[in-house]
C-alpha cells in the first residue's frame, strides 16, 4: 500500500462525546461505542483501526431529544414553525456558510469511515452544499407562489404549505452526509423540528457540524443524538409524537419503526429503500458504451448505492461480446485506498465480504460461473467483483439486493424476460436500457416507465441531478425527493379561507399592511 498522504492521516483517535439537544451542545459521559475503519485490513491478521469513540446514548436521552423537538414545535405555535420564511432562510444560510468551513475534516472522515474514494467524498460534500443552496432558492419560489390569493365560488383563499410537526431523520451509511441532509434540510426549512441520528457507519463525520447546527437554529429545531437505532429510535417512535419518519435505508428498519408508532394515520413517511435496478442490453446496443456504463453503474463505490445496477440482462446475440469486454474491464479495475481515487475501495462493513462470498458460492453451487479471472478474490475487508453467469431464479443474487461487488448476468431472447422480472420484483426504482432502434425502444420504454420511476436511456442509473425526482414504486420508496419535491414531502397544504365580503377584505388588507401575520402576507423574497 502506498503511504498515507499527511493531510489524510488520522493523527489520534477521536474521542467524540458531544451531542445536541435543545440548542445546546452537551457532553455525554456514559457508554461509548468504538468507531472502526476497515481500510487497513488487507490481511486476515490485521484488526480494524480504532478511529474513535462515539456516544452510545440511552433511551432517556432519546426522549429528551424528542421532548426538545416537541417543545420547539409547540403544536405548531413554536418560534420556528411560525417564523417568517426569510428568517428561516437566514438561519439556513448561516448554517451552510459554517458547514463549508468543515469540508476538509468531513471529507477525510468519509474516506476513513466508509471507504469512499476522495473524488466521491468531495462530491458528496459539495453536492450537499449545492443541495442546501438550491433548496433555499426553491423555497423562495414556493413562497412566492403561496402569496397568491384565489377567489372561487365566493370564497377567498390564501393557500400555502405548512410544516407537519416533529420529524425523525435516519440516513444510510453509503451517503451518511448527503442523503441524511437530503431529508434533514427540507424538513427543517419547511418549519418542522427534527431529531437526527447518524447511520451505523459515517458517524464521526457529523461531529464537526454540531457547532454549525447549534449556532444557526433556535433551540430544539435540530437535535442530534448518537447511538444504536434500537435504543434511540424505539422509544421515540413508541411515544407516538413523531409526525414524519424520514428514513433512507432498509425496508425492514422502516417497517419495524412504523410498527412501533401507536397512531399510524398520524405518521407520514418519507422513505428511500432498497432497489434491484436492472440494465437491459438490446442486440443493437453500442456495446463499448454499454460496458462502460455498466462498469460505473454496477461498481461505483463497490456497488454500495441504492441506484447501482444490480442485475444485467443481455440479449443473447450480443452476450458473448458484452461479457468478454465487460469481464476484461472488471478485471482491469484496481483496488486502492480512498485517497488514491480508485473505483474499488475496501468495504466498510466487516461482515460484508463474507456475505458477498456466500452469494457467489450460492450462485456457483447452483450452476453459475464466475466469468472474470479475478472474480471473488478475497481480502479480509474486500472481495474482488465477481461477474456471475448464467444466473437463474433459484439463486439468492437473482432477487436479493447485494449492495456490494457482485454482478449477476442473465441472457434473453425476448425483452419480455427482463420486463417480467421487473414486474415480479418487489422493487421499482430505476432501469437502464441500452439500444438504438427507436421503433424497438419506444414501446419498451412505454412499459418500463410504468414499472419504475426513472428509465435511463444508454446510461447507468443514478439519483442526480438532485433537481430531478428521486423515488420508486413498490418497496423502493415512499414519497418523492428532489430539491422541489422534498419541500412538498415535508409539508402539507393549509390555507386561510374567508367569505368574499367587505369586512373580510378589510381585515385581510389590514393584516397584510400591518405585517401582523407570517402566513397572510404577499411580500416577495428576492
Ligand atoms: O444509495 C442511493 C443513492 O441515492 C444513490 O445516489 O446515484 O447519486 O449514487 P447516486
Amino acid at each position: 500500500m502506498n503511504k498515507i498522504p499527511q493531510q489524510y492521516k488520522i493523527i489520534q483517535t477521536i474521542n467524540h462525546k458531544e451531542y445536541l439537544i435543545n440548542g445546546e451542545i452537551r457532553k455525554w459521559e456514559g457508554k461509548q461505542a468504538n468507531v472502526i475503519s476497515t481500510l487497513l485490513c488487507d490481511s486476515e491478521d490485521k484488526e480494524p483501526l480504532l478511529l474513535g469513540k462515539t456516544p452510545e446514548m440511552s433511551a432517556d436521552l432519546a426522549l429528551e431529544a424528542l421532548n426538545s423537538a416537541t417543545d420547539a414545535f409547540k403544536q405548531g405555535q413554536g418560534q420556528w414553525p411560525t417564523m417568517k420564511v426569510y428568517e428561516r432562510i437566514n438561519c439556513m444560510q448561516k448554517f451552510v456558510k459554517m458547514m463549508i468551513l468543515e469540508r476538509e475534516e468531513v471529507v477525510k472522515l468519509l474516506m476513513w469511515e466508509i471507504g469512499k474514494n476522495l473524488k466521491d467524498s468531495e462530491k458528496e460534500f459539495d453536492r450537499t452544499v449545492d443541495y442546501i443552496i438550491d433548496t433555499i432558492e426553491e423555497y423562495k419560489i414556493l413562497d412566492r407562489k403561496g402569496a397568491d390569493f384565489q377567489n372561487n365560488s365566493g370564497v377567498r383563499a390564501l393557500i400555502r404549505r405548512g410544516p407537519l410537526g416533529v420529524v425523525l431523520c435516519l440516513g444510510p451509511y453509503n451517503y451518511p452526509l448527503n442523503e441524511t441532509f437530503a431529508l434533514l434540510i427540507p424538513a427543517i426549512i419547511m418549519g418542522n423540528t427534527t431529531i437526527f441520528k447518524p447511520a451505523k457507519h459515517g458517524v464521526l463525520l457529523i461531529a464537526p457540524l454540531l457547532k454549525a447546527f447549534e449556532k444557526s437554529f433556535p433551540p430544539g429545531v435540530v437535535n442530534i443524538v448518537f447511538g444504536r437505532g434500537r435504543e434511540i429510535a424505539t422509544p421515540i417512535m413508541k411515544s407516538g409524537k413523531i409526525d414524519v419518519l424520514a428514513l433512507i435505508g432498509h425496508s425492514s428498519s422502516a417497517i419495524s419503526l412504523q410498527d412501533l408508532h401507536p397512531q399510524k394515520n398520524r405518521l407520514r413517511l418519507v422513505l428511500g429503500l432498497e432497489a434491484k435496478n436492472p440494465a437491459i442490453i438490446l442486440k443493437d446496443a453500442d456495446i463499448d458504451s454499454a460496458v462502460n456504463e455498466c462498469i460505473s453503474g454496477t461498481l461505483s463505490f463497490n456497488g454500495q448505492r441504492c441506484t447501482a445496477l444490480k442485475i444485467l440482462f443481455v440479449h443473447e446475440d450480443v452476450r458473448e461480446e458484452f461479457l468478454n469486454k465487460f469481464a476484461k474491464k472488471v478485471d482491469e479495475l484496481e483496488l486502492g485506498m480512498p485517497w488514491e481515487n480508485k473505483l474499488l475501495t475496501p468495504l466498510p462493513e466487516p461482515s460484508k465480504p463474507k456475505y458477498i462470498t456466500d452469494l457467489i458460492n450460492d450462485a456457483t453451487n447452483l450452476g453459475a460461473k464466475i466469468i472474470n479471472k479475478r472474480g471473488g478474490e478475497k481480502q479480509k475487508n474486500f472481495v474482488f467483483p465477481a461477474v456471475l453467469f448464467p444466473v437463474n431464479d433459484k439463486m439468492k443474487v437473482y432477487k436479493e439486493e447485494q449492495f456490494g461487488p457482485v454482478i449477476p448476468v442473465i441472457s434473453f431472447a425476448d425483452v419480455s424476460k427482463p420486463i417480467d422480472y421487473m414486474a415480479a420484483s418487489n422493487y421499482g426504482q430505476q432501469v437502464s436500457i441500452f439500444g438504438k432502434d427507436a421503433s424497438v425502444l419506444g414501446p419498451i420504454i412505454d412499459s418500463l416507465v410504468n414499472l419504475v420511476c426513472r428509465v435511463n436511456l444508454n446510461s447507468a442509473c443514478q439519483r442526480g441531478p438532485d433537481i430531478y425526482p428521486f423515488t420508486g414504486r413498490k418497496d423502493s420508496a415512499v414519497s418523492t425527493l428532489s430539491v422541489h419535491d422534498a419541500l412538498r414531502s415535508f409539508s402539507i397544504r393549509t390555507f386561510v379561507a374567508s367569505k368574499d365580503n367587505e369586512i373580510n377584505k378589510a381585515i385581510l388588507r389590514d393584516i397584510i399592511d400591518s405585517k401582523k401575520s407570517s402566513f397572510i402576507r404577499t411580500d416577495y423574497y428576492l
Side-chain angles (χ1 to χ4, degrees), residues 282-312:
L282 301 174
K283 61 181 173 190
D284 66 337
D286 175 333
I287 298 299
D288 291 327
S289 151
V291 164
N292 287 336
E293 289 292 322
C294 288
I295 291 284
S296 65
T298 53
L299 292 174
S300 299
F301 194 34
N302 313 288
Q304 303 167 113
R305 296 163 56 233
C306 61
T307 50
L309 290 174
K310 298 200 177 92
I311 191 157
L312 310 183

Side-chain angles (χ1 to χ4, degrees), residues 245-261:
L245 172 64
L247 175 148
I248 298 188
H250 204 271
S251 53
S252 55
S253 324
I255 286 175
S256 47
L257 287 170
Q258 287 169 60
D259 283 347
L260 296 171
H261 200 291

Side-chain angles (χ1 to χ4, degrees), residues 8 54 114 121 133-134 153 157 171 212 264 317 350 405 409 416 439 442 486 520:
Y8 304 131
T54 182
I114 64 161
S121 295
I133 294 167
D134 292 347
S153 309
K264 301 240 174 343
D317 289 2
V409 185
S416 61
S439 63
I520 302 175

Side-chain angles (χ1 to χ4, degrees), residues 20-37:
L20 177 67
I21 288 186
N22 203 22
E24 209 179 75
I25 293 185
R26 303 181 192 166
K27 275 215 166 118
W28 169 252
E29 296 299 350
K31 218 170 133 196
Q32 282 176 292
N34 287 343
V35 179
I36 53 128
S37 171

